Amino acid sequence: QKISQPIELIGTISYANTATIALKGGHYIGESYGGGIVFWVDSSGQHGLIATTTDQSSGIQWYNGVYGTTNAVRDGVYAGKHNTERIIATQSTGSYAAQICANCQEGGYGDWYLPSKHELNLLYQQRGVVGNFSSGYYWSSTEFNDYYAWIQNFIAVGILDGSKKDNSLRLCALGALCG
């Protein structure tokens, strides 16, 4: 099929053998946006995910001192926001992973949340683009059961695993990218 007009590109960025081309008006991986760095973009280039550029905590518990089911079991892109809301509704106010992310004001924005297991894995895959991650374990918002939640190992192997909710692990926050 013949293209009647050329597509205007705004740039190419290459990280770790991954090339990303952004169409005019679209977002791209590695872009500074909304108080963070874009690390995933859908096929339209208008929607995606951003991560804070710094950890929100170097060691915080997933729960607020009470084991139990929060029904934060969604997994996938944009699922972390729903999970974060479920965790806070169940665990109430306090100093724990989901609440810290929800209270984050990175870059002057207040719509941050704790990533789902899938979102955290996407972030791990683009960790070199976002940068500033420690070699350690990070919480996801995806609950495994009453006592465990999913975590991502940000050491070179990137294993997803479960951890007791009372362990103190690292924390980063995500936000949704809108056109």
Side-chain angles (χ1 to χ4, degrees):
Q1 185 176 21
K2 188 174 181 180
I3 298 175
S4 60
Q5 291 183 333
I7 297 172
E8 185 177 346
L9 300 177
I10 60 170
T12 301
I13 297 179
S14 180
Y15 296 97
N17 300 323
T18 302
T20 302
I21 299 173
L23 300 176
K24 184 176 183 181
H27 296 283
Y28 58 91
I29 295 172
E31 174 186 15
S32 291
Y33 184 86
I37 303 292
V38 176
F39 70 92
W40 179 84
V41 180
D42 72 3
S43 60
S44 76
Q46 298 301 311
H47 308 282
L49 295 170
I50 59 177
T52 55
T53 57
T54 59
D55 287 348
Q56 300 309 300
S57 176
S58 61
I60 191 86
Q61 296 176 333
W62 191 91
Y63 78 151
N64 194 22
V66 178
Y67 285 112
T69 301
T70 65
N71 294 313
V73 295
R74 289 191 183 178
D75 194 25
V77 174
Y78 308 123
K81 183 166 181 58
H82 176 267
N83 288 346
T84 299
E85 291 167 355
R86 295 297 315 137
I87 296 164
I88 292 170
T90 305
Q91 294 286 314
S92 191
T93 59
S95 184
Y96 58 98
Q99 188 72 65
I100 297 292
C101 288
N103 291 343
C104 179
Q105 294 293 310
E106 187 86 16
Y109 294 88
D111 56 352
W112 300 100
Y113 61 87
L114 184 61
S116 70
K117 178 177 76 164
H118 181 70
E119 290 168 323
L120 193 56
N121 189 255
L122 290 171
L123 179 57
Y124 168 77
Q125 293 170 29
Q126 297 294 338
R127 68 194 178 283
V129 175
V130 177
N132 296 323
F133 291 106
S134 293
S135 294
Y137 294 91
Y138 284 79
W139 284 118
S140 83
S141 63
T142 309
E143 185 173 58
F144 187 81
N145 62 26
D146 289 2
Y147 298 95
Y148 288 84
W150 287 98
I151 60 172
Q152 175 82 48
N153 179 340
F154 269 62
I155 301 170
V157 292
I159 295 170
L160 286 162
D161 203 354
S163 178
K164 283 190 79 174
K165 294 176 180 178
D166 64 351
N167 285 330
S168 290
L169 302 177
R170 300 193 82 76
L171 180 61
C172 62
L174 298 188
L177 165 71
C178 297

